[in-house]
Amino acid sequence: MNQVRRWQRILILSLLLLSVLAPIVFVSNRLKSITSVDRGEFIEELSDITDKTEDELRLTAIEQDEEGLKEPKRILQDRDFNSVVLSNSSDKSNDTVQSNEGDQKNFLSEVDKGNNHKPKEEQAVSQKTTVSSNAEVKISARDIQLNHKTEFRPPSSKSEKNTRVQLERATDERVKEIRDKIIQAKAYLNLALPGNNSQIVKELRVRTKELERATGDTTKDKYLPKSSPNRLKAMEVALYKVSRAFHNCPAIATKLQAMTYKTEEQARAQKKQAAYLMQLAARTTPKGLHCLSMRLTTEYFTLDHEKRQLLQQSYNDPDLYHYVVFSDNVLASSVVVNSTISSSKEPDKIVFHVVTDSLNYPAISMWFLLNPSGRASIQILNIDEMNVLPLYHAELLMKQNSSDPRIISALNHARFYLPDIFPGLNKIVLFDHDVVVQRDLTRLWSLDMTGKVVGAVETCLEGDPSYRSMDSFINFSDAWVSQKFDPKACTWAFGMNLFDLEEWRRQELTSVYLKYFDLGVKGHLWKAGGLPVGWLTFFGQTFPLEKRWNVGGLGHESGLRASDIEQAAVIHYDGIMKPWLDIGIDKYKRYWNIHVPYHHPHLQRCNIHD
């Protein structure tokens, strides 16, 4: 029994000893974990605190009562106290001191009014601060009140806050200064210095290399190394020595002018190269789209003949809503169809006609066979199998002064044969394949076009992102053109257009198009493409639509507002930066991406992703 009690006592004492030693061990380990850098920072912060002078003090005067501290009725805070002691220096005039004393009396009188019930009040508040290791400074509330006139400062204005934020942002002034010094040093190095100055030249080269290594590709001052100020000073010293050794200022000016001219030439060459590469990228089919077309074409030719005919049915009911798109791009045509159907309130009344060429007909047909549209009807047409284009039309297209295959494509000009392609229809809406539909378009079909042929959004407002003028596309120096057309006439945009096919047939505008197109090819009267000849063909036959029906400018940097894009019924990626290309603008791509089924197995196999 005694032995059991003895073990119990030993266990209790051990636990007590452990509870005493554990905190000591823990604290010692924490102290050891403090590195030398941490100790240095701690000492530095401590020295900053002890070295604070009177003008950096932040003082607060509060009122008290007999029961102890309560919520202060008036608080004096100076968070930006520039100078407490210096404001009371001999530089202050007597008028300023007197005005400060008057402010102090007014302030004390205000405080007394609110504290008449107190038997005794505090008259001064002293604040101690260590200026050095052996000095103490006492500042009374009287001194603070005498020298501090702006305790109750109004909030900073918005401009002041913006200025403060701009100062805190990273700048590039130091980087620009360093690069200027490097350019100046290279200008001196390219000149033959008089006399024996090899040592100065050697030093200048060394300093130039040091600064170049220090800056590298840096664009902001905050990324510069800590040694950059010292290296910049050394460079300034070296440049001073060179300037002392070489006094021929006109020669230096001539050399700098030559360097400037050379740099400008290089910049112009780079711009031309960038523009050429952008155009090349716009004409090139992305690898993923090419892979998708190949896969779909292979699957199409494995189908039975009966299945291939499913999308070739004829739809000529004029009571339905007929839409047409001319395209050689599988994904682009798919987005136009999907966005139109998903935005419609009556999708069962929609008939979509997708017109393509022989090369892309199998792939586009297979895509819509694999991805049916639901209640809407889709018809796939091959323009090469339709006897609507003249036999010499392909030859005329090749005579256009353009190397862009998109411009000389038959699909680009097939829109001018709509009455012949759809002889049984009275109205039709034409889409370009680089549009996205965001709203229901049913109201278009009830518009009274007042005898006009084409309904389109006008683009003749200067300053608008989609602004275009007639004389920028058409050569009005030609006598026939200037006599027949007005250079200040309002232009309009393709992308989404409503056509009255009955009025088109009555006025025989297809023949007018062929006449103008032939004249333009022979005389180079306008730029290649379908837009200029379209303006001339339908000159005076345009019914203006509200701007929201077709908002363009998403295929180039146009500065469109997000609100204008989101409120538009149709958005148009006019320009070379198409959303399916790598050069497409990211902030505009998302409106197109939401209608692309990136989860589709074919797209994943061809590495087509968002």
Side-chain angles (χ1 to χ4, degrees), residues 511-582:
S511 301
V512 174
Y513 157 76
L514 289 172
K515 174 185 175 182
Y516 289 169
F517 187 78
D518 186 48
L519 290 173
V521 169
K522 292 179 180 179
H524 301 290
L525 300 180
W526 45 78
K527 292 183 178 180
L531 186 60
V533 69
W535 289 343
L536 302 183
T537 302
F538 301 107
F539 189 79
Q541 298 295 328
T542 306
F543 177 79
L545 299 177
E546 295 181 19
K547 182 176 176 57
R548 67 179 182 85
W549 283 111
N550 182 18
V551 174
L554 282 77
H556 55 93
E557 289 290 354
S558 57
L560 277 174
R561 295 180 299 179
S563 58
D564 293 337
I565 297 174
E566 292 170 0
Q567 294 173 7
V570 177
I571 55 177
H572 187 195
Y573 292 84
D574 55 334
I576 63 174
M577 299 180 182
K578 303 301 183 185
W580 55 83
L581 299 175
D582 293 335

Side-chain angles (χ1 to χ4, degrees), residues 228-508:
S228 59
N230 295 331
R231 293 182 180 180
L232 182 59
K233 291 179 181 179
M235 171 63 86
E236 291 174 348
V237 172
L239 289 173
Y240 176 75
K241 292 179 182 179
V242 174
S243 65
R244 297 278 292 180
F246 190 73
H247 303 286
N248 192 352
C249 293
I252 295 177
T254 303
K255 187 63 180 180
L256 290 175
Q257 289 176 357
M259 293 175 64
T260 302
Y261 177 78
K262 183 179 179 180
T263 304
E264 290 176 351
E265 288 293 324
Q266 291 176 349
R268 280 192 288 267
Q270 291 293 334
K271 287 182 178 179
K272 289 182 180 179
Q273 182 72 8
Y276 170 76
L277 293 176
M278 288 286 288
Q279 293 289 341
L280 185 62
R283 301 175 192 177
T284 305
T285 302
K287 184 178 179 180
L289 284 179
H290 180 72
C291 166
L292 179 63
S293 296
M294 293 299 99
R295 286 183 175 273
L296 293 172
T297 301
T298 303
E299 291 188 22
Y300 176 80
F301 287 109
T302 61
L303 294 176
D304 297 335
H305 181 72
E306 292 77 10
K307 292 183 179 180
R308 297 183 190 178
Q309 304 299 319
L310 292 177
L311 298 176
Q312 296 181 6
Q313 301 178 17
S314 179
Y315 300 92
N316 293 319
D317 187 352
D319 295 330
L320 300 178
Y321 304 146
H322 292 265
Y323 301 92
V324 60
V325 59
F326 296 88
S327 177
D328 56 358
N329 188 314
V330 177
L331 277 187
S333 58
S334 172
V335 168
V336 176
V337 173
N338 293 342
S339 62
T340 304
I341 295 174
S342 62
S343 303
S344 176
K345 297 178 180 179
E346 299 176 302
D348 53 337
K349 297 183 67 174
I350 289 179
V351 177
F352 229 108
H353 309 273
V354 181
V355 183
T356 185
D357 53 17
S358 299
L359 182 63
N360 297 280
Y361 178 81
I364 293 179
S365 297
M366 191 65 204
W367 175 264
F368 285 104
L369 286 173
L370 294 174
N371 303 276
S373 59
R375 292 182 292 174
S377 303
I378 297 179
Q379 180 186 22
I380 313 297
L381 298 174
N382 186 351
I383 192 67
D384 295 329
E385 295 181 356
M386 305 173 69
N387 298 321
V388 295
L389 301 180
L391 297 178
Y392 60 90
H393 191 259
E395 184 179 352
L396 280 177
L397 293 175
M398 296 300 295
K399 289 182 179 180
Q400 293 185 98
N401 187 22
S402 176
S403 59
D404 192 341
R406 299 168 301 171
I407 293 178
I408 62 177
S409 169
L411 290 174
N412 189 39
H413 289 262
R415 67 187 69 196
F416 296 103
Y417 299 91
L418 283 175
D420 301 325
I421 297 175
F422 304 103
L425 300 181
N426 300 327
K427 276 188 177 182
I428 197 166
V429 171
L430 169 68
F431 288 125
D432 283 357
H433 71 168
D434 53 356
V435 303
V436 175
V437 180
Q438 301 185 130
R439 297 285 186 273
D440 179 54
L441 304 179
T442 305
R443 282 186 53 200
L444 282 175
W445 302 97
S446 59
L447 289 177
D448 181 11
M449 297 177 63
T450 64
K452 304 297 183 181
V453 177
V454 55
V457 173
E458 295 180 339
T459 58
C460 51
L461 181 62
E462 291 190 26
D464 193 79
S466 58
Y467 169 73
R468 294 183 179 91
S469 61
M470 292 277 284
D471 53 5
S472 62
F473 286 80
I474 300 172
N475 181 18
F476 279 91
S477 62
D478 183 83
W480 178 81
V481 174
S482 60
Q483 182 180 3
K484 196 170 184 61
F485 304 101
D486 182 9
K488 296 183 179 180
C490 195
T491 59
W492 48 273
F494 278 124
M496 192 282 297
N497 304 101
L498 175 64
F499 286 96
D500 186 341
L501 299 182
E502 285 186 323
E503 191 66 24
W504 187 332
R505 296 185 189 99
R506 190 184 67 81
Q507 299 188 29
E508 298 181 352

Side-chain angles (χ1 to χ4, degrees), residues 76-249:
L76 296 179
Q77 290 186 345
D78 183 15
R79 300 189 180 278
D80 194 16
F81 205 71
N82 292 329
S83 179
V84 173
V85 178
L86 293 179
S87 64
N88 199 25
S89 63
S90 59
D91 296 336
K92 291 285 186 179
S93 65
N94 294 332
D95 295 338
T96 306
V97 174
Q98 291 175 1
S99 63
N100 288 341
E101 290 177 353
D103 294 339
Q104 177 227 3
K105 291 177 181 179
N106 294 335
F107 168 73
L108 291 177
S109 63
E110 290 179 4
V111 176
D112 291 340
K113 288 179 183 179
N115 296 285
N116 290 331
H117 65 281
K118 294 184 180 181
K120 187 177 181 179
E121 296 183 7
E122 293 287 333
Q123 298 297 329
V125 179
S126 62
Q127 180 74 27
K128 295 183 178 180
T129 179
T130 303
V131 178
S132 62
S133 59
N134 297 320
E136 290 184 356
V137 178
K138 295 183 179 180
I139 301 175
S140 65
R142 175 181 176 82
D143 294 329
I144 298 172
Q145 295 165 4
L146 282 172
N147 296 282
H148 186 45
K149 290 184 63 178
T150 58
E151 287 89 349
F152 302 102
R153 184 180 302 172
S156 299
S157 64
K158 188 175 181 180
S159 61
E160 292 176 352
K161 291 181 180 179
N162 293 338
T163 304
R164 193 179 300 115
V165 171
Q166 290 176 358
L167 292 175
E168 294 175 355
R169 290 177 181 171
T171 60
D172 57 352
E173 294 180 359
R174 180 62 61 84
V175 174
K176 290 180 178 179
E177 182 181 2
I178 290 175
R179 297 195 189 282
D180 288 342
K181 297 298 182 184
I182 293 174
I183 294 173
Q184 187 177 354
K186 288 182 178 180
Y188 276 120
L189 290 173
N190 290 331
L191 295 171
L193 297 178
N196 186 13
N197 295 292
S198 59
Q199 187 64 31
I200 298 178
V201 173
K202 183 178 180 181
E203 180 181 358
L204 193 59
R205 286 174 179 168
V206 171
R207 301 308 179 195
T208 303
K209 290 181 180 179
E210 287 179 353
L211 278 183
E212 286 178 341
R213 285 195 297 267
T215 55
D217 297 331
T218 305
T219 57
K220 298 295 181 183
D221 292 350
K222 64 180 180 180
Y223 299 124
L224 288 172
K226 296 180 179 179
S227 61
S228 59
N230 295 331
R231 293 182 180 180
L232 182 59
K233 291 179 181 179
M235 171 63 86
E236 291 174 348
V237 172
L239 289 173
Y240 176 75
K241 292 179 182 179
V242 174
S243 65
R244 297 278 292 180
F246 190 73
H247 303 286
N248 192 352
C249 293

